[in-house]
Amino acid sequence: MDLKKANETYIKLKAELEAEQAKADKTKSVVESYRNKIVIQEGKKAEAQENGSETGVKVATEEIKRLKEEIKRIQEESKEQQEELTQKQEKLETIINEIKQDPQMKAHLEKVTATKYLRDLKVADAEKQALENRIEQHTKVEKLVDENATMRNHLTGLMGAKLTVKQLQEEISKLEGKNDPTSLNEKTVKENQIKEAESKYARIKNEVMEYIYNHQLGIEEQTIASIVEGKVAVDKKTHRIDIKASIQNNRAAIDKKLQSKNRQMEHYTRGIEKLGYTITTPAEEAQKQEQVAEPQGVASTQLAKEPEKEEANKESWWKRAKDKVSSWKWVQKMAKFFTYEVEEEPKQLEEGRAKSETKPEAKQQESKQEFKNSLKYEVVQNIAEEMYKQNLKEAKKELGKESKKEVEPEEAEK
Amino acid sequence: MEKEWDKITKEDLKDMSTEEIVDLKADAEHLQETLQEILELCDEALNS
C-alpha cells in the first residue's frame, strides 16, 4: 500500500471539493443578490407604470430579463455540477458498500451486533424480573384481601380516597379563573375536602403497612400505591369499588407487559443466533470444562461463536487473500478493523515486503485498538446500526412465522 | 483542466482510511446541499 500516494490523492480530492464548495457558496450569494435585484427592479417597474414612464418600465423590464437570464445560466451550471457530484458520491458509496461486504468486516460487525443484542437482552431480563416481582406482589395483595376483611376495606378506602382527591381536583380546575364569592367559597370547601381525603389516605395506609410489616407479608408500599392509584374496577350491581377485580386488572396489565418483554427477549436471542452466536451461561461453560457451577441468569451470560460459521468466515478470508493476491493490501487494511491476527499472512505475500519490527503481540494489540477506534467512525457505526435493525427485523419475522405455524395445527383440531 | 475526481479510480479510494472516505463523503454531502439550495433559489427567483 502506497500510503504516501493515498494521502496525496485524499488531499487533492478534498481540496477539489473544498474549492467547489467555496465556489458554490459564492454562487449562492450571487443568486441571492440577483433575486433581491429582481425584487427592486419589479418595484421600480411598478412605480414607473404608476407614473406613466414608459422608459422607466422598459429599463426595469430589460434589467429583470437580464438578471433572469443570468440566473438561468447559473441554474444550468449548478445542475451539471450536481450531476457530477452525484457520480463522486456514488464512487464513495461503492467503497462504503465494499467495506460493508468485506468478509472480515462483516464477521466483526456481526460480533459487535451480537454483543449489542446480548447487552439489550440483559437489560430486558432485568426488566422482566422487575415485572415478575410486581406480579408476585400483586398476588400477595390479592391473598391479603381474600383472607382479611379489614384489609380489604382498608384498601378499598385507600382507592376511594385517591378517587375523591382526583375528582375534587378536576372540579377545582373547572373553577379556576372564577372570582365571584360563590365560586371562591366552593373552591375553599373542595380544598378542605381534599385535605381530609389525603389525611384519611395517610392514616389508612399507615395501618395497612403496619399490618403488613407485623405479619411479615413482604408487600412493598409502592405495590399498594400502584394498586390504589391504578385502574379502578367497579361492581356493576352495587356500583362500589371492587378491590379484588381492581388488583386483577392491574396484574393483567403487568402480565401483558411481561408477555411483551418475553417476546422482546426472544427476538434478541434469535437475533444473536441468526448471527451465528450462541448464548452460554457460566454454568454451561463450566460444564464443558467438567467443572461444577450453579446455573445463573441471563445477566451472567456470554456469547460463543458457532464453530462452523467462524470456520466458514476464515475460509472466505483466506480464499479472498489467495484468489486475489493483488488485493492483499486492502484485505490487510480491513483486517486492522478486527481482532484477527494480521500476522497470518500467506507466505507467498511476505516476499518483497519489509519485515515489521513490531512484536506480534504488540501488533495484535494495536490491531484490536484500531478496530475499536474504527467504531467511532460514522460509516462503521451506521453499518453496525443498519445490521442491528435489519437482523432484528428478520428475527421478529421468523419468530412470527414460527408462532403462526404452531397455532395453526391447534386451530385445525378445534 | 482534468480534475482529480475525474481520473480517480476505486482502487485509489480503497487505499484511503475509512475516516478519510467518511470525510470526503461529508464534504460531498455538504456541497450537494448547497447546490440544492442554489437550485431552489434559482427556481424561486425565476418564478417570482
Side-chain angles (χ1 to χ4, degrees):
Chain A
M1 185 188 306
D2 191 343
L3 281 175
K4 197 182 166 202
K5 188 179 174 285
N7 190 44
E8 279 172 8
T9 310
Y10 163 72
I11 290 168
K12 282 180 188 169
L13 295 177
K14 190 163 174 65
E16 268 185 25
L17 281 175
E18 279 171 357
E20 284 183 49
Q21 181 66 48
K23 198 181 153 196
D25 288 337
K26 203 175 167 185
T27 308
K28 195 182 156 191
S29 306
V30 171
V31 178
E32 277 170 345
S33 122
Y34 286 174
R35 187 189 57 177
N36 293 341
K37 282 180 182 172
I38 289 174
V39 174
I40 293 166
Q41 289 303 323
E42 277 168 349
K44 283 185 178 175
K45 190 180 165 184
E47 201 181 326
Q49 277 169 339
E50 272 180 31
N51 298 335
S53 165
E54 279 183 25
T55 318
V57 172
K58 198 183 167 192
V59 170
T61 308
E62 278 174 7
E63 187 56 13
I64 291 169
K65 194 185 163 197
R66 188 188 70 78
L67 288 166
K68 285 197 173 180
E69 276 168 3
E70 274 297 302
I71 291 174
K72 267 186 191 168
R73 186 186 57 77
I74 292 172
Q75 193 181 37
E76 288 307 313
E77 277 178 13
S78 299
K79 272 182 188 168
E80 269 179 38
Q81 203 186 349
Q82 205 179 32
E83 277 170 25
E84 283 171 16
L85 183 62
T86 305
Q87 286 173 9
K88 289 171 193 171
Q89 286 177 308
E90 279 168 4
K91 271 185 187 173
L92 289 170
E93 221 35 67
T94 310
I95 299 303
I96 289 167
N97 283 334
E98 283 184 17
I99 293 173
K100 203 156 96 176
Q101 281 157 16
D102 182 279
Q104 289 303 296
M105 174 59 98
K106 192 169 172 281
H108 200 90
L109 284 172
E110 282 173 355
K111 192 175 178 184
V112 168
T113 308
T115 309
K116 277 187 178 180
Y117 288 147
L118 184 66
R119 192 183 61 208
D120 291 343
L121 185 64
K122 287 177 182 179
V123 171
D125 186 53
E127 289 166 352
K128 180 190 167 181
Q129 284 174 27
L131 289 170
E132 283 173 344
N133 180 45
R134 283 178 67 190
I135 290 172
E136 196 188 328
Q137 287 275 308
H138 275 65
T139 308
K140 285 179 182 174
V141 180
E142 198 181 339
K143 192 169 177 268
L144 177 67
V145 299
D146 271 344
E147 292 172 355
N148 190 314
T150 310
M151 287 298 126
R152 183 164 60 242
N153 287 338
H154 276 357
L155 284 170
T156 310
L158 285 175
M159 204 166 232
K162 275 282 166 199
L163 275 177
T164 305
V165 170
K166 206 177 161 188
Q167 199 181 340
L168 287 165
Q169 280 169 340
E170 279 172 16
E171 287 170 9
I172 288 173
S173 70
K174 284 178 191 168
L175 295 168
E176 289 300 331
K178 292 181 181 175
N179 294 319
D180 58 284
T182 318
S183 298
L184 289 172
N185 184 47
E186 209 178 327
K187 200 179 164 190
T188 311
V189 171
K190 288 184 192 304
E191 279 168 352
N192 288 333
Q193 285 174 334
I194 286 180
K195 278 179 195 165
E196 276 174 36
E198 280 173 344
S199 162
K200 182 185 170 189
Y201 181 87
R203 182 178 49 79
I204 302 175
K205 193 194 77 186
N206 286 342
E207 280 182 38
V208 170
M209 289 318 296
E210 202 179 329
Y211 182 87
I212 288 169
Y213 180 76
N214 290 338
H215 292 80
Q216 295 180 336
L217 298 180
I219 298 168
E220 293 161 10
E221 193 174 332
Q222 65 182 49
T223 306
I224 300 295
S226 81
I227 289 170
V228 299
E229 287 170 22
K231 208 177 169 187
V232 182
V234 177
D235 189 299
K236 283 177 185 171
K237 287 178 187 169
T238 62
H239 300 290
R240 286 187 170 182
I241 293 169
D242 186 338
I243 189 70
K244 194 175 173 186
S246 299
I247 296 167
Q248 285 169 343
N249 284 351
N250 272 290
R251 194 176 54 192
I254 303 167
D255 267 331
K256 215 173 169 182
K257 282 183 190 169
L258 182 66
Q259 281 167 22
S260 161
K261 198 54 65 187
N262 280 332
R263 274 198 302 275
Q264 196 184 24
M265 288 176 72
E266 278 174 23
H267 295 157
Y268 290 141
T269 307
R270 177 60 63 95
I272 289 169
E273 287 166 1
K274 274 177 72 61
L275 294 170
Y277 284 88
T278 51
I279 305 166
T280 59
T281 62
E284 285 163 348
E285 281 299 310
Q287 214 171 26
K288 277 184 196 168
Q289 294 166 21
E290 293 179 342
Q291 289 171 353
V292 181
E294 287 299 315
Q296 293 175 50
V298 175
S300 55
T301 54
Q302 56 189 20
L303 289 175
K305 183 80 176 133
E306 285 174 4
E308 310 81 46
K309 186 146 184 173
E310 185 138 55
E311 212 41 56
N313 279 331
K314 202 162 188 174
E315 207 180 320
S316 60
W317 157 251
W318 284 113
K319 196 174 182 300
R320 180 175 165 154
K322 283 173 186 168
D323 290 352
K324 205 176 174 187
V325 175
S326 61
S327 75
W328 168 249
K329 288 169 185 174
W330 166 238
V331 174
Q332 188 206 32
K333 185 177 174 64
M334 291 318 302
K336 285 182 186 171
F337 284 113
F338 310 104
T339 54
Y340 285 81
E341 291 178 26
V342 186
E343 297 80 9
E344 289 179 24
E345 183 178 352
K347 279 180 185 171
Q348 66 266 34
L349 291 170
E350 281 178 3
E351 290 170 16
R353 291 191 62 199
K355 282 186 181 177
S356 171
E357 284 176 17
T358 321
K359 286 181 182 176
E361 294 87 350
K363 245 180 162 182
Q364 196 182 345
Q365 198 57 36
E366 191 187 325
S367 171
K368 280 180 185 174
Q369 192 55 42
E370 210 163 328
F371 178 75
K372 276 183 183 173
N373 289 339
S374 80
L375 284 176
K376 289 178 193 165
Y377 302 157
E378 185 196 0
V379 66
V380 182
Q381 282 178 343
N382 285 349
I383 297 168
E385 192 61 31
E386 199 181 303
M387 184 182 270
Y388 179 94
K389 285 180 188 164
Q390 186 57 32
N391 191 59
L392 196 62
K393 197 175 160 187
E394 285 170 16
K396 281 181 190 173
K397 208 171 165 183
E398 267 184 26
L399 286 164
K401 274 184 189 171
E402 283 173 18
S403 77
K404 209 176 169 189
K405 274 182 192 170
E406 279 171 21
V407 172
E408 274 167 0
E410 284 174 20
E411 282 179 346
E413 282 171 21
K414 283 176 190 174
Chain B
M1 196 182 80
E2 196 183 23
K3 286 181 179 176
E4 192 69 24
W5 273 101
D6 299 330
K7 57 183 178 181
I8 200 77
T9 63
K10 272 192 274 178
E11 293 304 314
D12 292 326
L13 287 168
K14 275 179 185 176
D15 279 345
M16 283 181 205
S17 70
T18 313
E19 194 180 26
E20 286 167 341
I21 293 170
V22 172
D23 191 21
L24 292 175
K25 195 183 172 210
D27 280 354
E29 277 166 6
H30 183 217
L31 179 57
Q32 190 69 268
E33 280 168 20
T34 312
L35 290 171
Q36 193 53 40
E37 282 167 10
I38 292 172
L39 290 174
E40 282 165 15
L41 276 171
C42 289
D43 274 343
E44 199 185 306
L46 292 173
N47 297 321
S48 65

